[in-house]
Amino acid sequence: MSFFMDAEVTLGVKLLEVIYIIIGLITLYTGIKNALDKENPARIGTAIFWCSLGIILSFGRWIPPVANGVLIVIMTLPAIFKKVKIGKTSEPTEEYTKKAADKIGMKIFIPALSIGVFAIIFAIATDLGALVGVGFGILVSIIVLMAFSKDNKPKVFLDDSERLLSTVGPLSMLPMLLASLGAIFTAAGVGDVIAGAVGKVIPKGNVTIGIIVFAVGMVLFTMIMGNAFAAITVMTVGIGAPFVLAYGANPVLIGSIALTCGYCGTLCTPMAANFNVVPVAMLDMKDRFGVIKNQVLLAAIFLIFQILYMIIFS
């Protein structure tokens, strides 16, 4: 309890930790449920994966770093050997789903919108942060859904969370791992290496070429990392700061638009699992790259527009 009683730790950080604990407990429930599910063809491996992840998410702050590292290694083994499977699920019948949809109608979007709305409100109007706002928005959405139907009891939300996690599987970890990889790359000096290599190509003082290389680099590095937030730190250190910002370009404009250039790379890579792989799995699409194929042209158009915008207004 010393962490939650520490006056130097902000309320936002404490609340965010509570959210992580709740997520971890849901993940632990997923592991235990699959361990007891005799219909799951790989229930032991599935249980090991989800329980290890749940322990890290809930109690990682208080577990020694070495122990966390061991749990992560243990967690990866079932995923590597494809021993994380979906067990028995309790999906509602098609008839029930249609009946509920007819009753609720367009109001079904209110819970989803509440998450985004509260994330924005908390980010702008409080010091707690957008992630805490997301957690609060989820709480509001649960209350709204319970008001929509008396069938929406707490166990329904718990089982649906388990079903979603089981459907996505180990890919649910990819965004977190890629974000961590970005921090590791930055600490390892990858940005400085990129700066040295690019400096041999970009003429000094040519901001236009610097912007183009920065934007395209963000796309390519995001495609590798799968996460624009992971790429922006490395690319800003390596290209943005020395070849664009150093010559007087507007840092606010360049920084924000370069990040959205990275999102163009997000649209084109399977590494962005939560955008391009998870929908394929959830919709059981035959073409594994079907989502990406429908996004590539739009990504190219967006990238060209953003490069021109930076060149004109920076």
Side-chain angles (χ1 to χ4, degrees):
M1 290 298 293
S2 59
F3 170 79
F4 293 103
M5 300 300 292
D6 191 342
E8 295 184 2
V9 180
T10 64
L11 179 60
V13 173
K14 293 175 182 177
L15 290 174
L16 188 59
E17 190 64 39
V18 171
I19 292 172
Y20 276 118
I21 291 173
I22 294 172
I23 294 172
L25 293 176
I26 293 172
T27 309
L28 278 168
Y29 172 77
T30 302
I32 294 169
K33 186 174 182 292
N34 278 280
L36 300 175
D37 183 5
K38 294 181 179 180
E39 294 185 25
N40 190 323
R43 59 177 181 160
I44 301 302
T46 304
I48 290 173
F49 176 83
W50 291 118
C51 287
S52 299
L53 177 58
I55 292 170
I56 294 169
L57 290 173
S58 288
F59 313 111
R61 180 177 290 275
W62 298 279
I63 296 175
V66 173
N68 274 319
V70 171
L71 282 172
I72 290 173
V73 172
I74 292 173
M75 180 185 73
T76 61
L77 294 177
I80 291 172
F81 293 105
K82 297 182 179 180
K83 293 298 181 181
V84 183
K85 305 287 186 180
I86 303 175
K88 182 181 179 181
T89 59
S90 54
E91 296 184 49
T93 63
E94 186 176 342
E95 180 183 355
Y96 178 86
T97 302
K98 187 178 185 308
K99 182 180 177 181
D102 292 339
K103 178 183 176 182
I104 298 172
M106 296 299 290
K107 291 187 295 184
I108 191 63
F109 292 104
I110 294 176
L113 288 172
S114 68
I115 298 174
V117 168
F118 280 102
I120 294 172
I121 291 173
F122 272 62
I124 296 175
T126 75
D127 295 327
L128 300 178
L131 290 178
V132 175
V134 169
F136 187 82
I138 291 172
L139 178 61
V140 171
S141 68
I142 290 173
I143 295 172
V144 171
L145 287 168
M146 292 177 75
F148 282 167
S149 173
K150 62 181 180 181
D151 293 335
N152 289 329
K153 295 179 173 61
K155 193 173 187 306
V156 172
F157 297 104
L158 193 58
D159 286 340
D160 275 357
S161 298
E162 180 274 323
R163 179 159 57 91
L164 179 61
L165 282 173
S166 295
T167 300
V168 177
L171 291 173
S172 59
M173 277 298 298
L174 193 54
M176 286 184 279
L177 293 174
L178 292 172
S180 301
L181 187 61
I184 293 171
F185 275 18
T186 302
V190 174
D192 296 330
V193 174
I194 293 174
V198 173
K200 299 176 182 178
V201 179
I202 300 178
K204 289 186 177 181
N206 194 322
V207 178
T208 298
I209 295 180
I211 287 173
I212 294 172
V213 174
F214 188 23
V216 174
M218 274 298 300
V219 172
L220 296 176
F221 213 68
T222 299
M223 290 177 68
I224 296 170
M225 304 287 289
N227 191 311
F229 285 103
I232 188 69
T233 52
V234 176
M235 297 308 295
T236 299
V237 171
I239 301 175
F243 300 106
V244 180
L245 302 181
Y247 296 99
N250 186 329
V252 175
L253 186 149
I254 293 296
S256 58
I257 303 301
L259 184 62
T260 58
C261 287
Y263 295 149
C264 295
T266 300
L267 297 173
C268 302
T269 176
M271 294 298 286
N274 49 333
F275 291 101
N276 302 327
V277 176
V278 171
V280 173
M282 294 186 68
L283 298 174
D284 197 22
M285 295 173 62
K286 294 181 179 179
D287 187 353
R288 292 176 57 196
F289 299 99
V291 173
I292 294 175
K293 289 176 181 177
N294 284 283
Q295 295 176 161
V296 170
L297 179 59
L298 284 173
I301 294 172
F302 293 155
L303 177 62
I304 293 170
F305 174 82
Q306 289 172 126
I307 290 174
L308 293 174
Y309 187 91
M310 285 193 288
I311 292 173
I312 294 170
F313 295 103
S314 65

